[in-house]
Amino acid sequence: MYDIWLCDDEAVHLRGLEEKIARILPDVRLQSFEDPAAVRAAARACLPDILIMDIEFGPASGIALADDLCDGADKPIQVLYLTAYGERYCQRIFTGQVKPVGYLTKPVEDTYLSYHLRRCVQQIDARAKDQDVLTYPKNRALCSVPYREVLALESKGHTIQICARDGRTDRAFHGRLDEWEEKLPEEFVRVHKSYIVNMRYIDRIDRKNVLLQGGRAVPISRSKQEETHTRYLLYRGARL
C-alpha cells in the first residue's frame, strides 16, 4: 500500500487527478489537499511515499513546501511537480533542495501520469527490497534500521526498544512483540516474553541467559529454552 498526497489549490484539477490516479493505481491511500496549512498539519503525523505538488500552491511556492516536507524526513519521498505553466517553471523545478522524479503539465495526460507513478512505485519497491530493514513509526515519520544491525527487541510495557549494534537508545516505538514475532526474518527468535534476539549475534546460550556478542545478556525463559536451542542449531547449520 502506497501513500500518495495530491496538492493543488484548484478543486477541479484535484478531482480530475483523483480519478486518473484511482484508475492507474487502485490500491493506494490517496489524500488531497487544497491548503498548504492542511498539508503541514498532516505531516506532523506521517509523510507520503509519493508527493504530487502544484508549483503554485497557496501563497508560497510548492517547491518550498516540498523542500520543508522532505527536509529531515527519515524516508525518501518521491516528488512529482505539477503546473499549468510548463515553460515558466521547466528550469525552476531543479533549483530546490528536492530533485523531482517527474514533471507534469496541466491538463495532465494519462500516459505521462501513469509512466511517472509506476516509476515511483518501482523505485519504492526496489529500495525496500535492497535495504532489508526493520521499519517502525516514530513521531511524524517512518524510521528504519537494517536487520543486520539489530541485536534484539525488548518489550517495555506497550513500547518496543530496538537494541542495535551502534548502542543508540532513541529507537523505540509503540507495539507488541507478539505482532513482530511473525514479521521478522528467520534469524530472529523469541527467547522470552519480553525479548526477541538476532541469532546472528548469539555468542553463547546457557540455562538462564542468551549471551550476545559485545557482552549483553538477555534472559531466556524455561518455556523457550528447547525451541531457542533447536532454532539456533538449525540457524548455524548443525545436525540434530
Side-chain angles (χ1 to χ4, degrees), residues 20-46:
K20 291 175 184 289
I21 293 171
R23 288 198 299 268
I24 297 167
L25 295 175
D27 188 25
V28 298
R29 286 186 292 261
L30 177 62
Q31 294 189 67
S32 296
F33 300 90
E34 297 181 42
D35 177 24
V39 177
R40 294 184 185 278
R44 288 194 286 268
C46 65

PDB file of all heavy atoms in Angstrom, residues 20-46:
ATOM      1  N   LYS A  20      -7.991   9.857 -12.187  1.00  0.00           N
ATOM      2  CA  LYS A  20      -6.933   9.260 -13.010  1.00  0.00           C
ATOM      3  C   LYS A  20      -6.039   8.343 -12.176  1.00  0.00           C
ATOM      4  O   LYS A  20      -5.706   7.224 -12.579  1.00  0.00           O
ATOM      5  CB  LYS A  20      -6.090  10.358 -13.654  1.00  0.00           C
ATOM      6  CG  LYS A  20      -6.796  11.174 -14.729  1.00  0.00           C
ATOM      7  CD  LYS A  20      -5.897  12.300 -15.214  1.00  0.00           C
ATOM      8  CE  LYS A  20      -6.607  13.205 -16.214  1.00  0.00           C
ATOM      9  NZ  LYS A  20      -6.827  12.555 -17.509  1.00  0.00           N
ATOM     10  N   ILE A  21      -5.639   8.818 -10.992  1.00  0.00           N
ATOM     11  CA  ILE A  21      -4.759   8.033 -10.128  1.00  0.00           C
ATOM     12  C   ILE A  21      -5.454   6.753  -9.689  1.00  0.00           C
ATOM     13  O   ILE A  21      -4.839   5.682  -9.628  1.00  0.00           O
ATOM     14  CB  ILE A  21      -4.312   8.872  -8.909  1.00  0.00           C
ATOM     15  CG1 ILE A  21      -3.407  10.013  -9.364  1.00  0.00           C
ATOM     16  CG2 ILE A  21      -3.580   7.994  -7.880  1.00  0.00           C
ATOM     17  CD1 ILE A  21      -3.094  11.019  -8.279  1.00  0.00           C
ATOM     18  N   ALA A  22      -6.745   6.841  -9.373  1.00  0.00           N
ATOM     19  CA  ALA A  22      -7.501   5.661  -8.939  1.00  0.00           C
ATOM     20  C   ALA A  22      -7.546   4.597 -10.026  1.00  0.00           C
ATOM     21  O   ALA A  22      -7.558   3.397  -9.735  1.00  0.00           O
ATOM     22  CB  ALA A  22      -8.912   6.069  -8.526  1.00  0.00           C
ATOM     23  N   ARG A  23      -7.556   5.024 -11.284  1.00  0.00           N
ATOM     24  CA  ARG A  23      -7.558   4.056 -12.389  1.00  0.00           C
ATOM     25  C   ARG A  23      -6.177   3.426 -12.574  1.00  0.00           C
ATOM     26  O   ARG A  23      -6.057   2.231 -12.864  1.00  0.00           O
ATOM     27  CB  ARG A  23      -7.997   4.738 -13.687  1.00  0.00           C
ATOM     28  CG  ARG A  23      -9.475   5.094 -13.756  1.00  0.00           C
ATOM     29  CD  ARG A  23      -9.898   5.352 -15.194  1.00  0.00           C
ATOM     30  NE  ARG A  23      -9.170   6.471 -15.787  1.00  0.00           N
ATOM     31  CZ  ARG A  23      -9.595   7.730 -15.764  1.00  0.00           C
ATOM     32  NH1 ARG A  23     -10.736   8.023 -15.156  1.00  0.00           N
ATOM     33  NH2 ARG A  23      -8.888   8.687 -16.335  1.00  0.00           N
ATOM     34  N   ILE A  24      -5.136   4.229 -12.387  1.00  0.00           N
ATOM     35  CA  ILE A  24      -3.774   3.735 -12.623  1.00  0.00           C
ATOM     36  C   ILE A  24      -3.277   2.874 -11.471  1.00  0.00           C
ATOM     37  O   ILE A  24      -2.703   1.801 -11.678  1.00  0.00           O
ATOM     38  CB  ILE A  24      -2.822   4.927 -12.850  1.00  0.00           C
ATOM     39  CG1 ILE A  24      -3.234   5.694 -14.103  1.00  0.00           C
ATOM     40  CG2 ILE A  24      -1.374   4.455 -12.958  1.00  0.00           C
ATOM     41  CD1 ILE A  24      -2.562   7.048 -14.247  1.00  0.00           C
ATOM     42  N   LEU A  25      -3.508   3.349 -10.236  1.00  0.00           N
ATOM     43  CA  LEU A  25      -3.063   2.635  -9.033  1.00  0.00           C
ATOM     44  C   LEU A  25      -4.245   2.526  -8.067  1.00  0.00           C
ATOM     45  O   LEU A  25      -4.379   3.329  -7.143  1.00  0.00           O
ATOM     46  CB  LEU A  25      -1.903   3.380  -8.351  1.00  0.00           C
ATOM     47  CG  LEU A  25      -0.587   3.502  -9.114  1.00  0.00           C
ATOM     48  CD1 LEU A  25       0.396   4.363  -8.339  1.00  0.00           C
ATOM     49  CD2 LEU A  25       0.019   2.124  -9.385  1.00  0.00           C
ATOM     50  N   PRO A  26      -5.098   1.541  -8.250  1.00  0.00           N
ATOM     51  CA  PRO A  26      -6.297   1.447  -7.400  1.00  0.00           C
ATOM     52  C   PRO A  26      -5.989   1.119  -5.945  1.00  0.00           C
ATOM     53  O   PRO A  26      -6.752   1.474  -5.062  1.00  0.00           O
ATOM     54  CB  PRO A  26      -7.098   0.318  -8.055  1.00  0.00           C
ATOM     55  CG  PRO A  26      -6.104  -0.480  -8.837  1.00  0.00           C
ATOM     56  CD  PRO A  26      -5.076   0.493  -9.294  1.00  0.00           C
ATOM     57  N   ASP A  27      -4.855   0.476  -5.673  1.00  0.00           N
ATOM     58  CA  ASP A  27      -4.552   0.047  -4.305  1.00  0.00           C
ATOM     59  C   ASP A  27      -3.598   1.032  -3.631  1.00  0.00           C
ATOM     60  O   ASP A  27      -2.459   0.704  -3.307  1.00  0.00           O
ATOM     61  CB  ASP A  27      -3.943  -1.355  -4.321  1.00  0.00           C
ATOM     62  CG  ASP A  27      -3.802  -1.928  -2.917  1.00  0.00           C
ATOM     63  OD1 ASP A  27      -4.560  -1.506  -2.025  1.00  0.00           O
ATOM     64  OD2 ASP A  27      -2.921  -2.787  -2.716  1.00  0.00           O
ATOM     65  N   VAL A  28      -4.058   2.265  -3.425  1.00  0.00           N
ATOM     66  CA  VAL A  28      -3.251   3.283  -2.759  1.00  0.00           C
ATOM     67  C   VAL A  28      -4.124   4.037  -1.752  1.00  0.00           C
ATOM     68  O   VAL A  28      -5.349   4.005  -1.820  1.00  0.00           O
ATOM     69  CB  VAL A  28      -2.649   4.306  -3.752  1.00  0.00           C
ATOM     70  CG1 VAL A  28      -1.723   3.625  -4.731  1.00  0.00           C
ATOM     71  CG2 VAL A  28      -3.742   5.083  -4.471  1.00  0.00           C
ATOM     72  N   ARG A  29      -3.447   4.700  -0.813  1.00  0.00           N
ATOM     73  CA  ARG A  29      -4.138   5.637   0.093  1.00  0.00           C
ATOM     74  C   ARG A  29      -3.880   7.032  -0.454  1.00  0.00           C
ATOM     75  O   ARG A  29      -2.754   7.525  -0.410  1.00  0.00           O
ATOM     76  CB  ARG A  29      -3.626   5.500   1.524  1.00  0.00           C
ATOM     77  CG  ARG A  29      -4.104   4.258   2.244  1.00  0.00           C
ATOM     78  CD  ARG A  29      -3.661   4.273   3.696  1.00  0.00           C
ATOM     79  NE  ARG A  29      -2.215   4.131   3.793  1.00  0.00           N
ATOM     80  CZ  ARG A  29      -1.597   2.977   4.059  1.00  0.00           C
ATOM     81  NH1 ARG A  29      -2.307   1.878   4.255  1.00  0.00           N
ATOM     82  NH2 ARG A  29      -0.281   2.924   4.134  1.00  0.00           N
ATOM     83  N   LEU A  30      -4.928   7.658  -0.972  1.00  0.00           N
ATOM     84  CA  LEU A  30      -4.782   8.958  -1.614  1.00  0.00           C
ATOM     85  C   LEU A  30      -5.412  10.045  -0.756  1.00  0.00           C
ATOM     86  O   LEU A  30      -6.585   9.945  -0.376  1.00  0.00           O
ATOM     87  CB  LEU A  30      -5.439   8.926  -2.993  1.00  0.00           C
ATOM     88  CG  LEU A  30      -5.438  10.240  -3.793  1.00  0.00           C
ATOM     89  CD1 LEU A  30      -4.010  10.687  -4.091  1.00  0.00           C
ATOM     90  CD2 LEU A  30      -6.234  10.069  -5.089  1.00  0.00           C
ATOM     91  N   GLN A  31      -4.647  11.073  -0.452  1.00  0.00           N
ATOM     92  CA  GLN A  31      -5.165  12.235   0.268  1.00  0.00           C
ATOM     93  C   GLN A  31      -4.964  13.474  -0.607  1.00  0.00           C
ATOM     94  O   GLN A  31      -3.882  13.667  -1.168  1.00  0.00           O
ATOM     95  CB  GLN A  31      -4.446  12.448   1.594  1.00  0.00           C
ATOM     96  CG  GLN A  31      -4.680  11.362   2.619  1.00  0.00           C
ATOM     97  CD  GLN A  31      -4.109  11.744   3.978  1.00  0.00           C
ATOM     98  OE1 GLN A  31      -4.581  12.677   4.636  1.00  0.00           O
ATOM     99  NE2 GLN A  31      -3.077  11.025   4.400  1.00  0.00           N
ATOM    100  N   SER A  32      -6.002  14.305  -0.684  1.00  0.00           N
ATOM    101  CA  SER A  32      -5.934  15.519  -1.483  1.00  0.00           C
ATOM    102  C   SER A  32      -5.975  16.741  -0.570  1.00  0.00           C
ATOM    103  O   SER A  32      -6.688  16.758   0.436  1.00  0.00           O
ATOM    104  CB  SER A  32      -7.101  15.576  -2.476  1.00  0.00           C
ATOM    105  OG  SER A  32      -7.010  14.514  -3.407  1.00  0.00           O
ATOM    106  N   PHE A  33      -5.195  17.769  -0.938  1.00  0.00           N
ATOM    107  CA  PHE A  33      -5.103  18.980  -0.136  1.00  0.00           C
ATOM    108  C   PHE A  33      -5.252  20.203  -1.029  1.00  0.00           C
ATOM    109  O   PHE A  33      -4.632  20.276  -2.094  1.00  0.00           O
ATOM    110  CB  PHE A  33      -3.753  19.053   0.583  1.00  0.00           C
ATOM    111  CG  PHE A  33      -3.476  17.904   1.510  1.00  0.00           C
ATOM    112  CD1 PHE A  33      -2.826  16.761   1.038  1.00  0.00           C
ATOM    113  CD2 PHE A  33      -3.859  17.953   2.833  1.00  0.00           C
ATOM    114  CE1 PHE A  33      -2.557  15.701   1.886  1.00  0.00           C
ATOM    115  CE2 PHE A  33      -3.596  16.891   3.693  1.00  0.00           C
ATOM    116  CZ  PHE A  33      -2.946  15.772   3.225  1.00  0.00           C
ATOM    117  N   GLU A  34      -6.064  21.160  -0.567  1.00  0.00           N
ATOM    118  CA  GLU A  34      -6.219  22.427  -1.281  1.00  0.00           C
ATOM    119  C   GLU A  34      -5.559  23.569  -0.520  1.00  0.00           C
ATOM    120  O   GLU A  34      -5.569  24.709  -1.005  1.00  0.00           O
ATOM    121  CB  GLU A  34      -7.708  22.741  -1.487  1.00  0.00           C
ATOM    122  CG  GLU A  34      -8.439  21.729  -2.352  1.00  0.00           C
ATOM    123  CD  GLU A  34      -9.903  22.084  -2.554  1.00  0.00           C
ATOM    124  OE1 GLU A  34     -10.193  23.281  -2.780  1.00  0.00           O
ATOM    125  OE2 GLU A  34     -10.753  21.182  -2.468  1.00  0.00           O
ATOM    126  N   ASP A  35      -4.975  23.279   0.650  1.00  0.00           N
ATOM    127  CA  ASP A  35      -4.420  24.319   1.510  1.00  0.00           C
ATOM    128  C   ASP A  35      -3.082  23.857   2.085  1.00  0.00           C
ATOM    129  O   ASP A  35      -3.007  22.772   2.668  1.00  0.00           O
ATOM    130  CB  ASP A  35      -5.409  24.623   2.640  1.00  0.00           C
ATOM    131  CG  ASP A  35      -4.877  25.641   3.617  1.00  0.00           C
ATOM    132  OD1 ASP A  35      -4.009  26.435   3.228  1.00  0.00           O
ATOM    133  OD2 ASP A  35      -5.320  25.646   4.783  1.00  0.00           O
ATOM    134  N   PRO A  36      -2.014  24.656   1.946  1.00  0.00           N
ATOM    135  CA  PRO A  36      -0.712  24.267   2.498  1.00  0.00           C
ATOM    136  C   PRO A  36      -0.739  24.013   4.005  1.00  0.00           C
ATOM    137  O   PRO A  36      -0.013  23.139   4.499  1.00  0.00           O
ATOM    138  CB  PRO A  36       0.187  25.457   2.152  1.00  0.00           C
ATOM    139  CG  PRO A  36      -0.451  26.080   0.958  1.00  0.00           C
ATOM    140  CD  PRO A  36      -1.933  25.901   1.171  1.00  0.00           C
ATOM    141  N   ALA A  37      -1.570  24.744   4.733  1.00  0.00           N
ATOM    142  CA  ALA A  37      -1.645  24.548   6.185  1.00  0.00           C
ATOM    143  C   ALA A  37      -2.126  23.144   6.514  1.00  0.00           C
ATOM    144  O   ALA A  37      -1.657  22.522   7.481  1.00  0.00           O
ATOM    145  CB  ALA A  37      -2.569  25.594   6.812  1.00  0.00           C
ATOM    146  N   ALA A  38      -3.060  22.637   5.722  1.00  0.00           N
ATOM    147  CA  ALA A  38      -3.565  21.278   5.954  1.00  0.00           C
ATOM    148  C   ALA A  38      -2.471  20.245   5.672  1.00  0.00           C
ATOM    149  O   ALA A  38      -2.383  19.213   6.349  1.00  0.00           O
ATOM    150  CB  ALA A  38      -4.773  21.008   5.062  1.00  0.00           C
ATOM    151  N   VAL A  39      -1.623  20.523   4.693  1.00  0.00           N
ATOM    152  CA  VAL A  39      -0.510  19.609   4.385  1.00  0.00           C
ATOM    153  C   VAL A  39       0.460  19.563   5.557  1.00  0.00           C
ATOM    154  O   VAL A  39       0.894  18.490   5.999  1.00  0.00           O
ATOM    155  CB  VAL A  39       0.224  20.065   3.108  1.00  0.00           C
ATOM    156  CG1 VAL A  39       1.425  19.165   2.838  1.00  0.00           C
ATOM    157  CG2 VAL A  39      -0.718  20.041   1.914  1.00  0.00           C
ATOM    158  N   ARG A  40       0.800  20.732   6.099  1.00  0.00           N
ATOM    159  CA  ARG A  40       1.742  20.787   7.224  1.00  0.00           C
ATOM    160  C   ARG A  40       1.162  20.088   8.453  1.00  0.00           C
ATOM    161  O   ARG A  40       1.883  19.411   9.200  1.00  0.00           O
ATOM    162  CB  ARG A  40       2.100  22.233   7.539  1.00  0.00           C
ATOM    163  CG  ARG A  40       2.875  22.933   6.429  1.00  0.00           C
ATOM    164  CD  ARG A  40       3.286  24.341   6.837  1.00  0.00           C
ATOM    165  NE  ARG A  40       3.924  25.037   5.748  1.00  0.00           N
ATOM    166  CZ  ARG A  40       5.213  24.910   5.419  1.00  0.00           C
ATOM    167  NH1 ARG A  40       5.980  24.067   6.114  1.00  0.00           N
ATOM    168  NH2 ARG A  40       5.736  25.593   4.420  1.00  0.00           N
ATOM    169  N   ALA A  41      -0.135  20.241   8.667  1.00  0.00           N
ATOM    170  CA  ALA A  41      -0.775  19.582   9.810  1.00  0.00           C
ATOM    171  C   ALA A  41      -0.723  18.066   9.658  1.00  0.00           C
ATOM    172  O   ALA A  41      -0.423  17.338  10.613  1.00  0.00           O
ATOM    173  CB  ALA A  41      -2.221  20.065   9.947  1.00  0.00           C
ATOM    174  N   ALA A  42      -1.005  17.575   8.457  1.00  0.00           N
ATOM    175  CA  ALA A  42      -0.976  16.131   8.211  1.00  0.00           C
ATOM    176  C   ALA A  42       0.443  15.586   8.349  1.00  0.00           C
ATOM    177  O   ALA A  42       0.647  14.456   8.807  1.00  0.00           O
ATOM    178  CB  ALA A  42      -1.523  15.818   6.825  1.00  0.00           C
ATOM    179  N   ALA A  43       1.440  16.389   7.989  1.00  0.00           N
ATOM    180  CA  ALA A  43       2.837  15.945   8.030  1.00  0.00           C
ATOM    181  C   ALA A  43       3.332  15.742   9.454  1.00  0.00           C
ATOM    182  O   ALA A  43       4.339  15.056   9.660  1.00  0.00           O
ATOM    183  CB  ALA A  43       3.722  16.957   7.310  1.00  0.00           C
ATOM    184  N   ARG A  44       2.641  16.304  10.431  1.00  0.00           N
ATOM    185  CA  ARG A  44       3.050  16.094  11.818  1.00  0.00           C
ATOM    186  C   ARG A  44       2.781  14.656  12.256  1.00  0.00           C
ATOM    187  O   ARG A  44       3.393  14.172  13.212  1.00  0.00           O
ATOM    188  CB  ARG A  44       2.326  17.078  12.744  1.00  0.00           C
ATOM    189  CG  ARG A  44       2.826  18.505  12.621  1.00  0.00           C
ATOM    190  CD  ARG A  44       2.346  19.361  13.776  1.00  0.00           C
ATOM    191  NE  ARG A  44       0.931  19.686  13.676  1.00  0.00           N
ATOM    192  CZ  ARG A  44       0.455  20.777  13.079  1.00  0.00           C
ATOM    193  NH1 ARG A  44       1.295  21.641  12.532  1.00  0.00           N
ATOM    194  NH2 ARG A  44      -0.834  21.011  13.026  1.00  0.00           N
ATOM    195  N   ALA A  45       1.878  13.980  11.567  1.00  0.00           N
ATOM    196  CA  ALA A  45       1.557  12.585  11.911  1.00  0.00           C
ATOM    197  C   ALA A  45       2.281  11.585  11.020  1.00  0.00           C
ATOM    198  O   ALA A  45       2.718  10.528  11.484  1.00  0.00           O
ATOM    199  CB  ALA A  45       0.047  12.358  11.815  1.00  0.00           C
ATOM    200  N   CYS A  46       2.419  11.890   9.747  1.00  0.00           N
ATOM    201  CA  CYS A  46       3.062  10.958   8.817  1.00  0.00           C
ATOM    202  C   CYS A  46       3.459  11.707   7.562  1.00  0.00           C
ATOM    203  O   CYS A  46       3.100  12.875   7.378  1.00  0.00           O
ATOM    204  CB  CYS A  46       2.131   9.801   8.481  1.00  0.00           C
ATOM    205  SG  CYS A  46       0.638  10.311   7.584  1.00  0.00           S
TER     206      CYS A  46
END
